[in-house]
Amino acid sequence: MLDILFRDEHLIAVNKPHGLLVHRSPIAIDVQEFALQLLRDQIDHYVSPVHRLDRKTGGVLLFALNKEAEVAMHIQFQEKKVIKKYLAIVRGHTPDEEDIDYALKKENGTIQEAFTHYHTLKRAELQVALGSHSTSRYSLVEAKPETGRMHQLRKHFAHVFHPIIGDRKHGCNKQNKLFKETWEMTTMLLHASSLSFNHPITNEAILIEAPLQEEFRRVMLLMGWELV
């Protein structure tokens, strides 16, 4: 059963678990469970996702319950009227805040502008040696992507040399191996913490927040951080 965070007659949002695909994809033909089908069967109603989350990202995932809301929410996302916030645990001690203005290339070679702002919430230094370093440093950041490019946060944090822990494609293999072998943790530590927007039908201000899931919470405690 998916954890429902918000529901009215037009929209529904769930806290997507890490590792769950949003819908069927040709890149994962062996997968049998998807958020779309699970939610549709759970509430016995038509649902359609109005944005996307990577398979390994957890957190707020919004669906429309009818075509009118679906079209209107797509327009809001395209016009950058939806505020998205993410939490991520990354390698190293990040600056207090930073703007990442770094264009990203699509698979077909097209260059797209991409902009992310983040600020640092917490820092930790563990007495765990890795490579030439006698300790290991990490940061908890809150990120606000102003554009919605594929793997944007993953690529942007890798670009500034603070890759997200557990990101196998864009992250640090040494850190991922350390977390797997030392703490049996393979989850990518990226969480879609909130969405805020004006309701497409009523124009009411909507804020949907998702609590952290178990693996993310476990690493927070490992770092000595209070849960946010």
Side-chain angles (χ1 to χ4, degrees), residues 111-180:
I111 301 296
Q112 297 178 305
E113 65 173 5
F115 185 88
T116 300
H117 173 79
Y118 77 85
H119 67 274
T120 301
L121 300 176
K122 301 176 187 289
R123 299 182 181 91
E125 185 167 6
L126 302 185
Q127 300 304 308
V128 178
L130 183 63
S132 61
H133 301 282
S134 59
T135 60
S136 298
R137 292 180 171 186
Y138 303 98
S139 298
L140 174 69
V141 299
E142 181 180 79
K144 291 173 60 178
E146 293 191 7
T147 48
R149 310 309 181 196
M150 182 174 289
H151 294 183
Q152 176 173 320
L153 293 180
R154 299 165 65 177
K155 292 177 179 178
H156 271 183
F157 281 108
H159 174 68
V160 296
F161 306 107
H162 295 292
I164 297 171
I165 301 301
D167 184 352
R168 288 185 300 201
K169 186 170 184 179
H170 306 287
C172 173
N173 290 333
K174 290 181 180 179
Q175 288 288 347
N176 295 344
K177 183 179 179 181
L178 173 68
F179 272 76
K180 181 177 181 179

